[in-house]
Amino acid sequence: MAFNSKNPFLSSKRFSSNAVSRAEEVHEAQIIDYNQEMTLSGTINKTAILFLILSAASMITWWMAFNGMNPILPAFGGAIVGLILVLIASFKPQASPYLAPGYAFFEGLFIGGISAIFEARYPGIVINAVGATLVTFLVCLGLYKFKIVKVNEQFRSVVIAATLAIATYYLISWLASLIFNFTPVHYGNGMMSIGISVFVIIIAALNLFLDFDQIEQGVQQRMPKFMEWFGAMGLMITLVWLYVEFLRLLAKLSSNKN
């Protein structure tokens, strides 16, 4: 396939039989049982475990924020460590059973910290962002399961192109703000900024369809058992992205009401 999920975990390269075969040859001496195959139910269970770990970790920085402590440092550290674990796992998918829980924990520190900051400024925003993320996930899952939305090459092409455009825009805006000392348009709460947030949320939601499709392909191709952790970790990355974007959008809408 020419285009796949923007998530490095869920690319066809990582879910190919050749990639997994190489991983098995290099790590055949490990305890992981490669004779067991990836299943959909197993991936769902692993996703639930990662969600619980992330939720528990988020309570740490949340508690810190609402007890007079600054959650910025652990939240920022969690984001950095989480990114490092993502990069390692993208090249070492066979290590996902160990890296995925770590990613969920450190990303939870990040999510808890930024959620507490947003909640302190806009009371009630977190529950709304969580609800919006959950509803979006369930709607996309239902549309995919009942084949209302079908993932084909054209669909992948559009979503991947839009995702790369967003990533490029964010990177250029961040670098330009450091060099030229200006505020990017998506930082404000004007109509243009709100429109950008809505667009990014739509693209993040569309990435869920690609994630579902890649996990389904992994099951059909009878990938090794460790790929359940790999797929679950990739899906969590998209959900975290979606949640953060909902937080930003709701914050912009709330600031316009004040």
Side-chain angles (χ1 to χ4, degrees):
M1 296 181 180
F3 294 95
N4 296 283
S5 173
K6 65 97 187 175
N7 200 319
F9 281 69
L10 302 178
S11 65
S12 58
K13 178 181 179 181
R14 300 304 174 194
F15 270 82
S16 68
S17 298
N18 291 335
V20 175
S21 296
R22 289 194 297 270
E24 289 178 339
E25 292 172 0
V26 174
H27 294 268
E28 61 184 0
Q30 291 186 348
I31 301 177
I32 299 176
D33 185 2
Y34 292 104
N35 294 322
Q36 296 185 31
E37 298 174 355
M38 178 183 185
T39 64
L40 183 59
S41 61
T43 305
I44 293 174
N45 291 337
K46 303 302 188 300
T47 302
I49 292 173
L50 295 185
F51 177 76
L52 290 175
I53 295 174
L54 185 146
S55 299
S58 68
M59 296 306 297
I60 297 176
T61 43
W62 179 277
W63 178 86
M64 291 176 61
F66 287 96
N67 281 273
M69 291 178 278
N70 192 339
I72 296 297
L73 183 59
F76 180 75
I80 297 299
V81 175
L83 176 60
I84 293 173
L85 294 179
V86 166
L87 294 175
I88 294 175
S90 65
F91 292 100
K92 299 285 186 179
Q94 62 276 2
S96 297
Y98 313 108
L99 297 175
Y103 162 79
F105 176 81
F106 287 105
E107 199 68 15
L109 296 179
F110 166 69
I111 290 297
I114 64 169
S115 296
I117 293 172
F118 274 94
E119 182 69 19
R121 186 167 183 179
Y122 307 104
I125 192 175
V126 169
I127 189 63
N128 289 329
V130 170
T133 303
L134 178 60
V135 169
T136 301
F137 172 78
L138 293 177
V139 169
C140 291
L141 180 60
L143 292 175
Y144 180 80
K145 179 179 180 180
F146 294 105
K147 306 301 180 182
I148 298 175
V149 174
K150 297 182 179 179
V151 179
N152 53 33
E153 290 302 320
Q154 184 177 8
F155 184 94
R156 292 187 184 92
S157 300
V158 173
V159 175
I160 292 301
T163 303
L164 291 176
I166 291 170
T168 302
Y169 167 74
Y170 277 167
L171 178 60
I172 293 176
S173 297
W174 177 67
L175 292 176
S177 65
L178 294 178
I179 298 173
F180 301 107
N181 192 28
F182 86 104
T183 302
V185 64
H186 67 279
Y187 282 3
N189 58 356
M191 292 304 298
M192 179 67 73
S193 178
I194 292 174
I196 292 175
S197 289
V198 171
F199 174 74
V200 172
I201 286 173
I202 291 174
I203 298 304
L206 292 179
N207 269 275
L208 287 173
F209 291 107
L210 303 190
D211 296 345
F212 297 149
D213 183 64
Q214 291 292 352
I215 290 174
E216 184 177 37
Q217 288 183 36
V219 173
Q220 293 175 351
Q221 294 174 16
R222 304 171 69 178
M223 295 290 99
K225 197 69 173 177
F226 68 79
M227 296 300 284
E228 293 178 351
W229 287 104
F230 195 69
M233 188 175 177
L235 186 57
M236 288 297 298
I237 294 172
T238 303
L239 289 174
V240 167
W241 176 32
L242 186 61
Y243 170 73
V244 171
E245 293 298 340
F246 268 122
L247 271 181
R248 296 178 64 183
L249 174 61
L250 292 173
K252 294 174 185 179
L253 296 174
S254 297
S255 63
N256 283 336
K257 295 179 181 180
N258 297 332

